[in-house]
């Protein structure tokens, strides 16, 4: 049901000021008009034919005012203004007020105005005419005196015209401000051009009418010819505006019309929301057709256009008479429905849309299946303007697509592009483009080129700083897709509380105190492997969980507003010998205002943008530079890092890695890239080409999070892999869950049969460590050995670390699952 025009009712919560204005205008109009109206009682016979002609035309023309496109009639043009102002100029205030009141009554009935509103409009015009009359009285004389008009008369008429316009428009704007709230001046400025053009033109025509009336009353009706011409031109212009708001293919309203309709519906429902009335919600449904691109590619655009026309006709049969269906372009449609009580009614409408799209569309005897994903946003729950509602409906629609669902309602947790995150993305771009400061390089002990800030004589407390920045020279690149295989790792599944897949964007848990253990061997392991337990807390404690605390070892944020990117490293240890064979690179960003940025939020704001490539290149630059420093200091380590799946698609990463390895004199086998099964499945052919080039370069490839993706075992056979990483989700539970233990054992056996090294993530306790050794796992990483730490702390940890190998014990037997 269509919502009533809110201008016909008093505002909820603002009755006092608005009622005061209405009462004041009515009283003022009565005060300034009563004397002139009383004098008019004795003058009817003395009024000439010209007056009666103008009076009849004023009332008759207002029976059909011109209303531009839209349903609010906020900018209706009333021709009576021309005649009543001319009557004021020729016969005074009383006749003008009376004729204007009659014309307002006729137009009010024609447009369905409430009685109080019609009365207020008549009083508003009376006040404007009275103000103009006062200006005219300051002139030398009347316009019908028979004398020629002088410059003073012209100035008086001009002043009266301006006064009438200012008083009338000012009263209307003030009433709207008190009625609907909001800022006064922006609303006044928005409507001023149209009012100046329409109402101002009518006012300026009044002196011409008076001049014609001085010659003969028969000339007055001739003004209808230009008025009709203006009226017709306005209609033609309005038709052009309406055509501009229609989609030429389907004949449905387009995006421009949708914007106007949403603004209209929000305007109409705002007062219902304020008063808590039912039916105060407006729903915006965004519909995106599924598989439409397949139709275009297979059958051509002509068939695709016919399909859109048929879909538009089906949707038109679903929406209500008061709802608006629009085509936004391509295969996107939108529906605006007002007068709803809540989300259930919006879902019901979406269900009817889904049902309409379920039946195949038959074109030339070929049935085409067309489905759709629908996103819903409600006013005022999810936004109070077109831009917000449209963006939130778009978020909900893509949420439905990602969940393989048909309908989704906007949820804030699904919105990854808030203003705060966009600001964070801008800061991330700035910190990556600024890059670390590079200086003249020096040669390390093995010939590696080192910047001075990374030279071996740096103090142990100096923060590691990569030599080559991922600055503007890195070049923009495509974003990183979410899901398995996405991203440069910042935290492997090594520590307790690193969730799920063990990716670097997952949150970190709080460090746990180390209780004393009765097992002497275990105490030796704990104190020998973890410098925190062996020598007490370090001067700079490792990373904590809270984003606002961060690792104290991270250098203080510089004066710049965007902070600094820092690399952390977690050791990978050979289980059989206890030897540290490598590290995994983790990314940390300390923001001066936000503190330590949550890695999950970091990857969320960087993905699907060119910033992700800058981030990937920055990590490559920093890790290779750190490898050069370790090499110069005589430390032989292999560093592993994750890369963007889109970088694997383009292959540019191979050139980047080759350039950095050659520039720093680092052997390729010191670097290892970790990819996930999701990256393989995204585009196996292109990914295989890039991986092959990396293998030829000498860079090792590790298949990360094995067992959590959707790839088949053929990838283990086809790809030039050197390592398989067992996902921490299996390792964490293998000590108590027979199924997880079976998966880990099978993975180790399979990889061993194929000649691949096996690394287990998420090793947190002694029992898991012993079980992995019994199963034949090659290496492990996790908080059982060490936490992630900056490069300088890792160097100190390596100096104190004493390798230990597990001793066979009865509790090292892997759990077996029972028959079901």
């Amino acid at each position: 049901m269509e919502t009533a025009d809110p201008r016909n009712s008093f505002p909820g919560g603002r009755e006092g000021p608005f009622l005061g204005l209405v009462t004041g205008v009515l009283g003022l109009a009565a005060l300034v008009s009563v004397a002139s109206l009383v004098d008019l009682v004795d003058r009817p016979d003395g009024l000439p034919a010209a007056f009666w002609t103008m009076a009849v035309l004023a009332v008759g023309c207002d029976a059909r005012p011109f209303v531009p496109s839209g349903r609010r009639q906020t900018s209706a043009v009333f021709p009576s203004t021309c005649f009543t102002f001319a009557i004021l100029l020729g016969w005074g205030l009383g006749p003008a007020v009376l004729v204007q009141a009659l014309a307002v009554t006729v137009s009010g009935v024609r447009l369905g105005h409430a009685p109080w509103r019609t009365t207020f409009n008549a009083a508003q015009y009376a006040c404007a005419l009275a103000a103009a009359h006062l200006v005219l009285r300051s002139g030398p004389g009347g316009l019908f005196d028979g004398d020629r008009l002088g410059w003073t008369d012209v100035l008086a008429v001009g002043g009266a015209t301006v006064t009438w316009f200012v008083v009338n428009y000012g009263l209307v704007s003030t009433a709207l401000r008190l009625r609907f709230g909001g800022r006064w001046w922006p609303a006044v400025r928005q409507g001023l051009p149209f009012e100046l053009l329409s109402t101002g033109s009518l006012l300026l025509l009044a002196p011409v009418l008076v001049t014609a009336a001085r010659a003969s009353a028969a000339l007055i009706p001739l003004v209808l010819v230009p008025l009709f011409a203006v009226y017709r031109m306005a209609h033609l212009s309005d038709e052009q505006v309406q055509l501009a708001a229609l989609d030429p293919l389907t004949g449905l309203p387009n995006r421009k019309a949708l914007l106007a309709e949403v603004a209209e519906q929000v305007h109409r429902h705002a007062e219902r929301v304020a008063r808590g009335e039912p039916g105060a919600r407006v729903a915006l449904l965004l519909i995106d057709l599924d598989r439409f691109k397949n139709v275009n590619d297979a059958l051509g655009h002509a068939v695709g256009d016919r399909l859109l026309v048929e879909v538009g006709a089906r949707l038109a049969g679903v929406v209500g008479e008061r709802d608006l269906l629009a085509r936004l372009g391509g295969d996107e449609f939108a529906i605006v429905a007002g007068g709803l009580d809540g989300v259930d009614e919006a879902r019901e409408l979406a269900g009817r849309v889904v049902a309409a799209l379920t039946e195949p569309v038959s074109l030339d005897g070929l049935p085409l299946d067309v489905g759709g994903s629908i996103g819903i946003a409600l006013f005022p729950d999810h936004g109070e303007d077109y831009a917000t509602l449209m963006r939130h409906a778009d978020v909900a629609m893509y949420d439905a697509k990602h969940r393989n669902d048909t309908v989704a309602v906007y949820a804030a947790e699904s919105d990854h592009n808030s203003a705060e995150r966009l600001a964070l993305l801008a800061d991330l771009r700035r910190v990556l483009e600024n890059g670390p400061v590079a200086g003249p390089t020096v040669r390390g002990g093995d010939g590696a080129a080192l910047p001075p800030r990374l030279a071996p004589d740096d103090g142990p407390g100096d923060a590691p700083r990569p030599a080559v920045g991922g600055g503007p020279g890195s070049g923009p690149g495509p974003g990183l897709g979410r899901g398995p295989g996405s991203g440069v790792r910042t935290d492997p599944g090594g520590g307790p509380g690193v969730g799920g897949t063990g990716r670097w964007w997952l949150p970190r848990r709080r460090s746990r105190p180390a209780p004393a253990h009765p097992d002497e061997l275990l105490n030796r392991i704990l104190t020998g492997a973890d410098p925190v337990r062996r020598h007490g807390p370090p001067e700079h404690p490792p990373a904590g969980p809270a984003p606002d605390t961060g690792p104290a070892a991270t250098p203080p944020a510089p004066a710049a507003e965007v902070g600094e990117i820092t690399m952390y490293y977690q050791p990978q240890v050979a289980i059989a010998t206890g030897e540290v064979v490598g590290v995994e690179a983790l990314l940390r960003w300390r923001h001066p205002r936000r503190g330590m940025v949550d890695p999950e939020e970091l990857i969320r704001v960087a993905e699907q943008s060119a910033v992700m490539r800058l981030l990937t290149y920055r990590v490559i630059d920093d890790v290779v530079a750190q490898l050069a420093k370790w090499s110069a200091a005589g430390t032989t380590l292999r560093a592993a890092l994750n890369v963007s799946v889109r970088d694997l698609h383009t292959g540019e990463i191979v050139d980047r890695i080759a350039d950095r390895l050659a520039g720093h004199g680092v052997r390729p086998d010191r670097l290892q890239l970790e990819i996930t099964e999701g990256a393989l499945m995204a585009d196996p052919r292109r990914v295989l080409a890039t991986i092959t080039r990396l293998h030829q370069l000498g860079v090792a490839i590790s298949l990360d999070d094995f067992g959590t993706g959707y790839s088949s075992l053929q990838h283990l056979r086809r790809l030039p892999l050197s390592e398989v990483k067992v996902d921490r989700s299996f390792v964490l539970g293998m000590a108590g869950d027979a199924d997880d233990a079976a998966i880990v054992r099978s993975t180790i056996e399979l990889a061993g049969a194929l000649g691949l090294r096996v690394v287990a993530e998420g090793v947190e306790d002694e029992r898991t460590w012993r079980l992995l050794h019994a199963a034949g796992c090659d290496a492990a990483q996790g908080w059982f050995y060490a936490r992630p730490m900056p490069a300088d702390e890792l160097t100190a940890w390596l100096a104190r670390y004493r390798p230990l190998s597990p001793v066979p014990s009865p509790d090292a037997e892997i759990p077996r699952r029972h028959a079901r």
Side-chain angles (χ1 to χ4, degrees):
M1 183 176 67
E2 183 178 4
T3 307
D5 190 343
R7 289 192 173 200
N8 286 331
S9 60
F10 278 91
R14 291 188 295 270
E15 295 89 345
F18 184 73
L19 183 60
L21 175 67
V22 172
T23 304
V25 171
L26 291 176
L28 181 61
L31 180 65
V32 300
S33 304
V34 64
S36 299
L37 292 175
V38 171
D39 293 340
L40 185 61
V41 175
D42 301 328
R43 294 177 56 191
D45 296 338
L47 294 174
F51 164 79
W52 295 107
T53 303
M54 291 185 186
V56 171
L57 292 176
V59 176
C61 289
D62 266 18
R64 192 180 180 186
F66 170 66
V67 182
S69 298
R71 297 182 291 176
R72 275 191 277 172
Q73 299 104 24
T74 57
S75 302
V77 179
F78 300 98
S80 63
T81 301
C82 168
F83 298 105
T84 56
F85 192 68
I87 291 173
L88 175 69
L89 296 177
W91 294 281
L93 180 60
V97 169
L98 180 60
V99 173
Q100 186 68 77
L102 292 175
V104 168
T105 302
V106 171
S107 62
V109 174
R110 175 72 173 80
L111 297 176
H113 293 170
W116 73 266
R117 181 179 174 186
T118 301
T119 305
F120 173 78
N121 288 338
Q124 153 205 326
Y125 282 115
C127 292
L129 289 170
H133 180 66
L134 289 177
V135 176
L136 287 174
R137 291 184 61 181
S138 64
L143 299 181
F144 277 118
D145 293 343
D147 298 332
R148 296 186 60 183
L149 297 178
W151 284 108
T152 54
D153 296 295
V154 174
L155 291 177
V157 172
T161 302
V162 173
T163 302
W164 187 100
F165 183 87
V166 170
V167 172
N168 183 75
Y169 191 62
L171 288 176
V172 172
S173 301
T174 303
L176 290 176
R177 168 67 176 81
L178 295 177
R179 175 67 179 82
F180 299 104
R183 300 174 61 186
W184 181 78
W185 173 242
V188 171
R189 184 176 55 188
Q190 181 179 4
L192 188 60
F194 180 84
E195 293 294 336
L196 283 173
L197 184 62
S198 59
T199 307
S201 300
L202 292 174
L203 291 173
L204 294 177
L205 188 59
V208 179
L209 275 176
V210 175
T211 304
R214 294 177 60 180
S216 172
L219 297 176
I220 296 177
L222 296 179
V223 76
L224 294 178
V225 177
L227 281 179
F228 176 78
V230 173
Y231 185 83
R232 185 59 183 163
M233 290 177 62
H235 267 287
L236 292 176
S237 176
D238 191 56
E239 290 176 2
Q240 292 295 324
V241 171
Q242 294 185 42
L243 289 175
L246 294 179
D247 173 50
L249 177 63
T250 61
L252 297 173
N254 59 13
R255 187 181 296 269
K256 180 180 179 181
L258 178 69
L259 188 155
E261 179 66 14
V262 171
E264 168 68 22
Q265 292 284 7
V266 168
H267 172 83
R268 287 176 175 270
H269 288 75
E271 285 303 322
R272 283 180 172 266
V273 173
R275 292 194 294 265
E277 297 179 358
R281 298 298 189 269
V282 179
L284 175 61
L285 280 68
L286 189 61
I287 307 164
D288 185 79
L289 301 183
D290 298 332
R291 300 178 297 278
F292 178 74
K293 184 177 183 300
N294 298 339
V295 175
N296 266 347
D297 293 343
L299 304 178
H301 289 276
V303 176
D305 290 345
R306 292 171 57 194
L307 177 61
L308 291 175
V309 173
E310 178 62 26
V311 169
R314 286 194 180 187
L315 295 178
V318 170
V319 300
E321 295 182 359
R322 304 300 182 184
D323 302 335
L324 177 75
L325 169 66
R327 180 185 174 227
L328 306 183
D331 59 346
E332 281 192 340
F333 294 82
I335 297 175
V336 181
L340 306 182
D341 291 324
V343 70
D344 291 339
E345 295 180 59
R347 282 188 173 275
E348 182 182 353
L349 175 58
R352 296 200 300 269
V353 171
V354 172
L357 298 178
T358 300
E359 291 295 325
V361 178
S362 180
L363 295 178
D364 297 333
L366 178 64
L368 301 176
D369 289 322
V370 180
S373 301
I374 305 175
I376 301 175
L378 291 179
F379 165 85
D381 308 76
H382 305 142
E384 298 184 354
D385 55 65
Y386 170 81
T388 304
L389 290 172
M390 189 67 183
R391 187 174 70 83
H392 289 172
D394 190 63
V395 169
M397 185 265 291
Y398 278 104
D399 190 28
K401 283 185 176 294
H402 292 159
R403 294 191 287 107
N404 293 323
D405 201 351
T406 53
V407 181
V409 180
Y410 172 77
E413 56 268 22
S414 300
D415 190 356
H416 305 317
N417 295 302
S418 64
E420 182 181 358
R421 284 177 176 167
L422 291 177
L424 190 64
L425 178 63
D427 287 346
L428 178 59
R429 175 180 286 277
R430 288 171 59 193
V431 72
L432 292 174
E433 289 180 343
N434 291 340
V437 180
T441 60
V442 297
R443 308 300 295 183
D446 62 351
L450 298 177
R453 300 178 68 179
L454 296 181
D457 59 350
D458 285 349
D462 294 342
R465 298 177 182 270
V468 183
S474 302
L480 178 66
R482 298 194 65 184
S486 304
V488 181
R489 168 171 290 203
T490 63
D491 203 344
V498 182
T501 60
R503 309 209 58 77
W504 62 272
W505 54 81
L506 296 178
R508 303 177 299 279
R509 276 179 53 188
R510 190 178 304 274
S511 58
R512 301 178 300 193
H517 199 282
D519 189 337
E520 181 181 355
L521 175 61
L522 180 57
N523 280 326
R524 290 176 56 200
I525 295 172
L526 295 176
T527 57
D530 194 337
V532 177
R533 295 188 176 98
R534 184 177 180 185
H535 300 285
E539 181 180 356
H540 303 288
D548 58 344
T549 58
T554 305
E561 298 180 356
V562 292
E564 184 176 8
I565 293 290
T566 307
M567 297 307 301
Y568 276 50
Y569 300 89
Q570 185 172 36
Q572 295 178 339
V573 179
I575 297 178
T577 64
E579 177 187 2
V580 178
V581 294
V583 294
E584 185 163 10
L586 321 170
L587 186 67
R588 296 289 186 266
W589 179 23
R590 176 179 287 278
H591 195 281
R593 297 185 306 275
R594 303 170 186 262
M596 190 64 70
V597 178
D598 184 0
E600 183 177 1
E601 184 177 11
L602 176 60
I603 188 61
R604 189 177 296 152
V605 300
E607 65 183 356
Q608 303 298 335
S609 72
V611 175
M612 191 66 246
R613 178 171 293 183
L614 294 178
L615 189 61
T616 302
Y617 286 176
R618 173 64 174 273
V619 171
I620 293 173
D621 296 347
D622 289 5
V623 170
V624 173
Q626 185 59 51
L627 285 173
K629 178 179 179 179
W630 284 330
S631 177
T635 301
T636 302
L637 287 176
R638 179 184 68 247
L641 56 91
N642 273 25
V643 294
S644 163
V645 60
R646 295 196 177 186
D647 287 328
L648 295 177
H649 286 174
T650 62
E652 296 176 5
I653 191 173
V654 182
D655 300 328
R656 182 79 174 196
I657 291 176
D659 176 72
R660 293 302 182 262
L661 291 175
H664 288 279
V666 176
R667 289 164 41 188
D669 60 358
R670 299 283 180 87
L671 186 67
Q672 177 172 288
L673 298 189
E674 297 183 357
I675 62 174
T676 64
E677 296 176 275
L680 295 178
M681 295 302 295
D683 193 336
R685 180 183 57 82
R686 294 163 66 185
V687 171
L688 178 60
T690 303
I691 291 177
T692 302
R693 290 185 58 197
L694 288 169
H695 176 70
Q696 294 171 350
L697 180 64
V699 175
I701 306 297
S702 173
L703 185 60
D704 193 13
D705 301 338
F706 183 74
T708 62
Y710 303 97
S711 65
S712 64
L713 296 179
Q714 65 173 328
H715 294 129
L716 296 178
R717 176 175 56 86
R718 294 175 52 199
L719 296 175
L721 300 175
S722 60
E723 177 183 283
V724 170
K725 299 192 75 173
V726 184
D727 185 66
R728 70 182 310 273
S729 62
F730 304 121
V731 175
L732 285 174
M734 67 177 297
D737 189 298
D739 291 336
D740 287 344
I743 293 174
V744 173
R745 184 176 60 252
S746 300
T747 302
I748 294 174
E749 293 174 355
L750 175 63
L754 295 174
L756 301 177
R757 183 174 58 249
V758 182
V759 177
E761 299 178 306
V763 180
E764 298 184 3
D765 53 56
E766 178 203 5
R767 178 165 169 75
T768 303
W769 173 63
R770 294 181 185 276
L771 292 175
L772 289 170
H773 177 261
C777 185
D778 298 301
Q781 66 183 77
W783 280 36
F784 177 72
Y785 292 106
R787 303 175 179 90
M789 62 192 82
D792 58 337
E793 289 189 13
L794 178 64
T795 302
W797 181 87
L798 290 172
R800 295 190 296 266
Y801 174 74
R802 297 295 179 266
L804 291 173
S805 57
V807 178
S809 63
D811 64 348
E813 182 180 354
I814 299 180
R816 302 285 176 173
R817 61 184 299 180
H818 299 287
R820 296 176 180 174

